[in-house]
Amino acid sequence: MIIQVLGAGCPKCRMLEEQARLALADANIDAEIVKVTDIDAIMEMGVMMTPALAIDGKVVSSGKVLKKDQIIPMLQEAE
């Protein structure tokens, strides 16, 4: 599983990445976290507001910082 955190590296992007890491640890799921900072790549994924979160290339959230408890069900569903 590949988790993508989309954003330019702002504080909210870093918070989303941290929440994703916590969610992976709590759910005991092995996945790779990739930061996508290239604006063209982000727009190609259809994201207009960052931060955004994608699981295996599918955008599951954009424009907000999800908490780990919101991310865990998304991860479990994608497993």
Side-chain angles (χ1 to χ4, degrees):
M1 179 183 307
I2 297 176
I3 310 301
Q4 294 168 293
V5 178
L6 294 78
C10 66
K12 287 184 179 182
C13 299
R14 290 192 296 272
M15 287 184 351
L16 180 59
E17 179 185 356
E18 179 62 27
Q19 291 299 309
R21 289 187 188 283
L22 292 171
L24 287 170
D26 281 8
N28 198 28
I29 295 173
D30 185 32
E32 178 183 359
I33 294 184
V34 177
K35 290 191 245 181
V36 180
T37 57
D38 180 65
I39 298 300
D40 291 332
I42 292 170
M43 291 181 70
E44 283 177 18
M45 294 182 74
V47 173
M48 297 301 192
M49 293 182 66
T50 59
L53 186 72
I55 301 173
D56 291 331
K58 179 183 174 193
V59 177
V60 295
S61 172
S62 68
K64 58 185 169 185
V65 178
L66 297 174
K67 300 293 183 197
K68 71 174 182 169
D69 294 336
Q70 295 171 297
I71 298 171
I72 290 172
M74 296 174 183
L75 296 171
Q76 292 170 332
E77 184 177 313
E79 251 190 320

